[in-house]
Amino acid sequence: MEIKQKSTWEKVELGTCYYPEHWDKSLWEPDLLRMLEHGITTVRIAEFAWNLTEPEEGVYTFDFFDEFLDLAERVGMKVIFGTPTATPPAWLTEKYPEVLNARRDGVLYRHGTRRHYNYNSKKYQELSAKIVEQLGAHYGKRPCIVGWQIDNEFNCETQQFYSESDTIAFREFLQERYGSLEELNRAWGAVFWNQSYTDWAQVYVPRTTYGDGTNPHQWLDYIRFVSESTIRFCKLQSDILRKYIKPGDFITTNGMFGSVDNHRLTRDCLDVYTYDSYPNFAYVWGDPKHNNTLLDRKWSRHLMEVRSVCPHFGIMEQQAGAGGSVGMDAPAPKPGQMMLWAMQSIAHGADYVSFFRWRTATFGTEIYWHGLLDYDNLPNRKMDELKKLHARVEAIQEIAGSDYVAPLGLLKDYDNVFDSQVDAWHGKLVSASETELFVAAQLSHTPMDTVYLYEGTSLEELKKYRVLVLPHGEIMTESKARLLENYVRQGGCLIVGARTGQKDIDGHCVMAPVPGLLASLTQSSVKEFTWIGPGDDPVPMEWNGRSLETGLFNEVLTAAGEDAKVLARYNGDIWYTGEPALIETKVGDGKVFHFGGTFTRGTVSALLDYLGMAEPFGELAQIPAECEIAVRRKGEKEYLIVLNYGKKPQEIFLKQPMVDLDNRCDVEGTVVLGSYETKVYRIKG
Ligand code: GAL
């Protein structure tokens, strides 16, 4: 997959989300001037404002945003203009109810919130195309506009679409994928429970069925279909906008949600990917003990995913205040956290950080989603922090465009991502292992990338990583197996976990020893397997005198080749005690590890130690587990960013001379980071 490597922004810039339609016009100018004073150079506008440009079908009015854009041009504010298709107007949904999304039992989702449409309604596509055409033609050449946002957060709110248009489009999708009902019946294993289809008219998107026994192969194809539908709807708009935008202006969309191949969405439709980062959700959804999932630091995992789509990305919505719609409560960011979260985004590759939102709405569903300013519009500590962030960003500008450096890669592909949404076995394994892998990598300061495998992924892309982990790649294809084998032969190190190679592209289990297509590479096979039930004791494995928990699931392994060496064995009150749990096999210049469990913090850190991978930047600095590091590189220059997520001060020890970019001074040795403090250093080479 071709991924754009260059940044869209020449320097790191700050922005905010502004809703001119929510405020009296007399506030517009003071608002924009105040933003500029605080270092905000760009506003995103208009993404829900369909009625303001098409108050009735076919009647277009441009005055409202013309007036706003005139002002933006006068004061020197840049604008990202949103297409309004996330919120079809009442006149539209009333006249054409077929544009509405439906529940699985067919009941339509009515007007009254947002994202109530479906991607496949021909009528909605036609009306969306018309409004986008009008907006592009009218506003496309406005000098203040620098970019366009398509829709708002595709697949947020729901990733399931059950309207009649979806069924029609699903049939077309399947006809193209399989060509015949015979093939469809084969791929869906339709002979099971007598589900075979004899006419395309019998095929639907999943419908309300008894229990939760809907055909899993149908679900897998349905998610692939939702992904295609999302991309097609986005492309409909980007193709139109391309006719009108000025050279250099970008097209993006915001957020990162499931059931869509975000990489292909970006490649096919966008110039740059932008994410919406709300780390404070950790304090609403996080574990009550506040220590298991790294809370807000876990957003680095999302940013790692975003970086895989687009190494130099933007944050279209960066949390500024306490979050909460009506019905959700969350603590306010503590002093320093707003800056910390912005720096977290920047550390991972964001060159644009735009805060949600300028001022908290005084009406509507989001009266508790707090902006930079509160309802009273008075100066406050968030605005002070914004000012400090601006000064900071100016001080560290030289890091703009530098690349994040990670020696460790987490392998993924969309067939497996989608299958893990459908298959509870798969999903549970992936969720446990990816969390633990991330946490272990964070705590040992081992920067990690997510690396997506496509049919076209090149060996060079994989060779950038010393170690790649494919936790539970259940669906394996021949070309991916070949690529992974070449990576290992040419010196790479691959680690695979339980159930890898268990399934084929349709999600059928293979009739072969697991790890299936990878078995000749790993020279291992699975004799039997079991979940570790909630009533069972954890099962450890013994490795070099260490006893390490093997997680939720155990495969009893067999070494099946001369080069395969058993490294660790299960050891517990279980019938497979003494049997292999971890096998290392040397292949060509590299090696592959087959681990029979789900990854736990202990197993990951033992593997990283064994491979000499923990603290790969340990020669630069000694960092406590409470802090995250990011290393960025641009040509000869290398930077170290350190982020303290805790309230308690943390001491770090710089082992090499560095320049503190904020204070423009040389530092070495002990440095103390205060609550939520971050540091940016240029390493003096
Ligand atoms: C995002 C969305 C915004 C706003 C914000 C706060 O998901 O794009 O429109 O809703 O969250 O809830």
Side-chain angles (χ1 to χ4, degrees):
M1 169 82 37
E2 218 180 284
I3 290 174
K4 185 181 160 199
Q5 298 295 335
K6 202 173 157 288
S7 181
T8 299
W9 291 271
E10 274 165 20
K11 51 186 281 223
V12 181
E13 292 203 44
L14 299 178
T16 192
C17 305
Y18 192 61
Y19 297 90
E21 66 276 24
H22 294 180
W23 309 109
D24 191 274
K25 284 184 185 169
S26 63
L27 281 170
W28 290 2
E29 182 161 355
D31 278 344
L32 295 196
L33 294 175
R34 200 168 175 192
M35 288 174 200
L36 289 166
E37 268 168 38
H38 284 76
I40 285 177
T41 56
T42 309
V43 288
R44 180 203 56 185
I45 60 165
E47 81 276 16
F48 300 120
W50 193 320
N51 264 330
L52 289 172
T53 39
E54 193 181 4
E56 34 179 308
E57 187 173 359
V59 176
Y60 299 98
T61 55
F62 300 104
D63 308 353
F64 183 85
F65 285 114
D66 270 335
E67 194 179 338
F68 182 81
L69 296 174
D70 286 345
L71 170 66
E73 272 151 25
R74 185 152 50 77
V75 300
M77 178 63 76
K78 294 187 265 191
V79 173
I80 299 171
F81 203 96
T83 70
T85 49
T87 44
W91 59 256
L92 193 160
T93 54
E94 198 58 25
K95 184 164 174 200
Y96 304 109
E98 71 266 36
V99 310
L100 293 167
N101 188 14
R103 239 165 43 180
R104 200 167 158 192
D105 61 4
V107 172
L108 293 182
Y109 287 112
R110 297 293 176 172
H111 199 86
T113 176
R114 63 177 173 183
R115 302 210 58 74
H116 40 292
Y117 70 92
N118 70 72
Y119 296 128
N120 285 303
S121 151
K122 296 275 179 249
K123 191 42 119 184
Y124 198 58
Q125 291 170 358
E126 174 199 321
L127 293 167
S128 298
K130 279 188 183 159
I131 184 79
V132 173
E133 189 95 40
Q134 290 288 333
L135 295 175
H138 188 85
Y139 298 118
K141 298 287 180 290
R142 292 295 305 227
C144 61
I145 291 185
V146 292
W148 290 78
Q149 173 186 302
I150 293 176
D151 203 285
N152 188 75
E153 295 192 332
F154 284 122
N155 292 1
C156 176
E157 269 93 12
T158 184
Q159 299 163 15
Q160 301 192 354
F161 300 86
Y162 301 112
S163 70
E164 280 177 25
S165 315
D166 292 309
T167 283
I168 293 166
F170 189 41
R171 288 178 191 148
E172 287 163 8
F173 168 85
L174 295 169
Q175 278 160 0
E176 198 173 315
R177 187 171 173 93
Y178 296 112
S180 68
L181 278 175
E182 204 184 1
E183 248 316 277
L184 175 80
N185 283 327
R186 186 208 54 74
W188 284 11
V191 66
F192 188 84
W193 286 353
N194 201 38
Q195 287 168 6
S196 303
Y197 298 98
T198 54
D199 192 318
W200 285 101
Q202 298 158 0
V203 180
Y204 288 84
V205 293
R207 289 184 294 177
T208 310
T209 50
Y210 188 66
D212 61 355
T214 298
N215 184 324
H217 315 294
Q218 177 184 4
W219 266 119
L220 178 59
D221 274 344
Y222 171 71
I223 296 177
R224 288 172 172 146
F225 158 76
V226 170
S227 175
E228 288 304 310
S229 305
T230 315
I231 295 170
R232 204 175 329 117
F233 186 69
C234 185
K235 187 153 167 42
L236 170 83
Q237 299 195 32
S238 62
D239 282 352
I240 295 170
L241 289 175
R242 295 244 174 254
K243 298 191 289 186
Y244 299 107
I245 64 172
K246 308 190 297 296
D249 288 359
F250 61 82
I251 297 178
T252 188
T253 186
N254 60 324
M256 184 180 61
F257 296 89
S259 301
V260 58
D261 177 337
N262 283 299
H263 292 69
R264 210 157 65 65
L265 175 96
T266 304
R267 189 201 61 189
D268 290 359
C269 315
L270 311 178
D271 299 303
V272 63
Y273 192 67
T274 60
Y275 174 63
D276 297 343
S277 189
Y278 289 93
N280 214 27
F281 272 134
Y283 294 88
V284 186
W285 300 331
D287 95 89
K289 284 195 230 112
H290 282 199
N291 61 8
N292 218 21
T293 54
L294 299 186
L295 287 169
D296 49 338
R297 187 168 167 187
K298 198 179 104 189
W299 260 249
S300 295
R301 188 171 153 196
H302 306 313
L303 293 164
M304 166 184 140
E305 183 92 12
V306 173
R307 204 174 54 241
S308 81
V309 178
C310 187
H312 299 281
F313 53 89
I315 300 290
M316 193 60 88
E317 299 179 16
Q318 177 77 55
Q319 183 147 22
S325 318
V326 177
M328 189 203 290
D329 42 5
K334 298 164 184 66
Q337 277 189 325
M338 192 183 110
M339 162 88 86
L340 167 72
W341 296 333
M343 289 306 296
Q344 177 182 33
S345 296
I346 291 171
H348 279 272
D351 284 336
Y352 176 62
V353 178
S354 165
F355 289 96
F356 187 86
R357 47 185 278 161
W358 175 241
R359 189 168 38 240
T360 315
T362 57
F363 49 78
T365 308
E366 297 196 328
I367 48 177
Y368 302 132
W369 268 103
H370 293 78
L372 288 161
L373 285 164
D374 296 318
Y375 316 109
D376 60 16
N377 209 24
L378 295 172
N380 62 27
R381 74 174 164 84
K382 291 175 283 184
M383 293 294 280
D384 291 345
E385 223 165 282
L386 174 65
K387 247 193 165 152
K388 282 191 203 139
L389 176 66
H390 176 226
R392 177 107 210 255
V393 160
E394 290 311 309
I396 63 168
Q397 274 302 355
E398 61 176 270
I399 70 162
S402 59
D403 295 316
Y404 187 95
V405 186
L408 176 65
L410 164 64
L411 286 175
K412 286 190 170 189
D413 62 76
Y414 282 100
D415 286 320
N416 278 301
V417 170
F418 294 164
D419 191 63
S420 70
Q421 288 177 229
V422 171
D423 173 342
W425 279 40
H426 193 171
K428 247 174 126 175
L429 300 186
V430 165
S431 148
S433 284
E434 287 188 3
T435 303
E436 292 290 287
L437 187 61
F438 168 76
V439 172
Q442 277 285 321
L443 298 182
S444 66
H445 308 117
T446 310
M448 178 163 73
D449 275 348
T450 315
V451 185
Y452 270 78
L453 290 174
Y454 279 86
E455 289 304 324
T457 303
S458 72
L459 190 54
E460 292 316 304
E461 286 170 64
L462 301 193
K463 278 164 86 176
K464 288 196 282 193
Y465 300 93
R466 273 176 59 198
V467 177
L468 288 171
V469 187
L470 179 63
H472 308 288
E474 293 212 11
I475 294 186
M476 186 51 64
T477 62
E478 281 182 10
S479 62
K480 283 177 193 160
R482 216 174 309 120
L483 180 68
L484 293 176
E485 175 162 350
N486 287 338
Y487 165 73
V488 174
R489 285 197 180 285
Q490 298 197 20
C493 172
L494 174 69
I495 304 173
V496 303
R499 293 184 71 76
T500 299
Q502 181 75 56
K503 291 179 169 179
D504 68 14
I505 193 76
D506 299 313
H508 296 198
C509 290
V510 294
M511 287 181 71
V514 170
L517 290 169
L518 285 188
S520 61
L521 175 66
T522 60
Q523 297 182 26
S524 60
S525 72
V526 176
K527 205 153 67 171
E528 63 172 309
F529 52 82
T530 180
W531 282 99
I532 310 305
D536 292 331
D537 290 333
V539 179
M541 67 178 185
E542 285 296 311
W543 186 12
N544 278 339
R546 282 167 89 169
S547 179
L548 304 159
E549 281 185 21
T550 54
L552 302 177
F553 193 90
N554 284 170
E555 286 180 340
V556 179
L557 306 182
T558 317
E562 280 175 9
D563 304 312
K565 186 168 114 200
V566 175
L567 290 186
R569 293 179 183 273
Y570 293 107
N571 180 18
D573 186 15
I574 23 114
W575 75 92
Y576 48 93
T577 194
E579 297 276 5
L582 176 66
I583 289 177
E584 175 184 6
T585 308
K586 292 211 159 54
V587 182
D589 295 334
K591 49 193 161 197
V592 56
F593 293 81
H594 183 177
F595 170 51
T598 62
F599 292 91
T600 57
R601 233 159 276 195
T603 47
V604 176
S605 80
L607 278 159
L608 293 177
D609 284 349
Y610 183 74
L611 294 166
M613 277 281 290
E615 308 276 353
F617 296 104
E619 82 283 2
L620 296 178
Q622 196 177 312
I623 309 283
E626 287 75 8
C627 295
E628 177 179 10
I629 62 157
V631 172
R632 304 271 300 253
R633 209 170 272 156
K634 183 157 69 173
E636 298 285 282
K637 294 204 170 128
E638 206 168 52
Y639 302 93
L640 173 70
I641 304 176
V642 187
L643 305 109
N644 176 15
Y645 288 85
K647 203 164 151 187
K648 286 203 204 114
Q650 296 294 335
E651 198 174 281
I652 64 172
F653 186 82
L654 303 176
K655 297 181 186 167
Q656 295 187 18
M658 306 199 184
V659 180
D660 176 327
L661 290 187
D662 288 289
N663 302 310
R664 294 281 143 187
C665 61
D666 289 358
V667 274
E668 202 174 349
T670 302
V671 176
V672 176
L673 272 71
S675 308
Y676 312 114
E677 199 186 349
T678 55
K679 290 278 183 195
V680 183
Y681 299 114
R682 186 193 323 120
I683 300 156
K684 291 179 94 174

